[in-house]
Amino acid sequence: MMDGKFKWQEQRTTTPDGVYRLLRTAILGGSVPPGKQLRETHIAADLGISRSPLREALTRLEEEGLVVKIPFRGSFVVEVSARNVAEIAAIRLLVEPYAAELSAPTLRGPERLRLKQTIEELYRATDTHDIPASVDAHLRFHRLFYEFSGNVALQSLWNGWENKLRLYLAADHPTYSNLHEIAVEHERLAAFALEGDFDGFRQEMASQFHNALRATTNET
């Protein structure tokens, strides 16, 4: 249960979109960790708003996969287990290099600027230690390979993973002693894809996953 007032309550807003962004930032920034209850009465009182825009915001967060509503109990931040993340990572190691191979012609050509801009956004977010923005840019980067693969099955896989990965990365990014390294790692991945070195791409992914998952390997 959430006790006391939220640290971000001074950022008062009354619109559903504003409340949604506020709650989303709190979840991805770790102010409201996985498994915690989002108590409508407390949040509404803290923000000085009615419950109508809050409920709209919670519905959007539920649709995004960040919140789950449990009948007769309330809304909770979704929890992602170490097993969930490890299983997704194992599949990604197999299919993401293939997605990169399929998307490479597009990313070398008409969408190269978009790839470059995504990496630049990741650098900006990590260098300013903006965790929600770094998570968004991180996911946007990987989504490009699936989006431009032209393979609907690959796109569906990514869509099924993205929200779980969003919550995992929100907890993982702050563990980096140098958040800037995330952007460096992804720039290396982009270089491998653009050069057509998909074995190198896979090896770089494996290295990144090893580091990201080391904190979860002892969980059951």
Side-chain angles (χ1 to χ4, degrees):
M1 306 290 279
M2 295 302 297
D3 296 317
K5 293 178 180 288
F6 291 102
K7 295 178 181 177
W8 36 263
Q9 71 182 66
E10 67 275 6
Q11 304 174 48
R12 293 188 182 278
T13 179
T14 59
T15 67
D17 185 64
V19 176
Y20 157 78
R21 293 179 185 280
L22 202 59
L23 287 171
R24 187 177 186 274
T25 298
I27 292 169
L28 296 181
S31 297
V32 186
K36 288 295 185 180
Q37 186 175 12
L38 295 165
R39 303 188 67 173
E40 292 185 16
T41 53
H42 287 187
I43 298 173
D46 285 353
L47 296 179
I49 60 173
S50 70
R51 292 172 71 173
S52 178
L54 175 57
R55 285 172 177 165
E56 288 188 48
L58 289 173
T59 296
R60 285 184 64 182
L61 291 166
E62 183 181 23
E63 291 169 351
E64 194 174 348
L66 296 179
V67 167
V68 60
K69 292 181 181 178
I70 301 176
F72 308 112
R73 291 189 60 198
S75 298
F76 296 79
V77 178
V78 168
E79 295 183 270
V80 180
S81 71
R83 177 181 287 275
N84 289 153
V85 175
E87 289 175 349
I88 292 170
I91 298 171
R92 286 181 64 195
L93 281 174
L94 295 174
V95 303
E96 195 157 320
Y98 179 52
E101 183 175 359
L102 292 177
S103 63
T106 301
L107 293 175
R108 288 191 198 106
E111 296 297 339
R112 183 162 189 150
L113 179 60
R114 186 168 167 187
L115 177 63
K116 179 182 177 183
Q117 289 173 336
T118 303
I119 295 169
E120 289 172 351
E121 289 166 4
L122 186 54
Y123 270 110
R124 277 196 300 274
T126 55
D127 288 346
T128 58
H129 210 78
D130 185 336
I131 298 298
S134 71
V135 170
D136 283 343
H138 187 150
L139 292 171
R140 261 198 312 277
F141 173 88
H142 289 283
R143 190 188 309 130
L144 291 175
F145 299 117
Y146 296 83
E147 181 179 348
F148 295 116
S149 69
N151 186 304
V152 174
L154 286 173
Q155 293 165 358
S156 295
L157 282 174
W158 178 260
N159 291 337
W161 298 331
E162 185 166 333
N163 289 322
K164 291 184 176 67
L165 292 174
R166 188 179 301 280
L167 283 167
Y168 168 71
L169 292 175
D172 179 65
H173 276 206
T175 67
Y176 277 72
S177 58
N178 181 7
L179 202 61
H180 176 89
E181 183 61 24
I182 294 174
V184 174
E185 291 171 351
H186 284 72
E187 190 168 24
R188 285 200 298 265
L189 276 178
F192 282 126
L194 294 176
E195 292 164 6
D197 183 356
F198 302 108
D199 285 336
F201 185 98
R202 180 180 289 104
Q203 291 169 13
E204 176 64 25
M205 280 191 69
S207 174
Q208 292 181 23
F209 285 179
H210 172 77
N211 292 335
L213 294 173
R214 63 175 178 241
T216 64
T217 53
N218 293 326
E219 294 185 25
T220 57

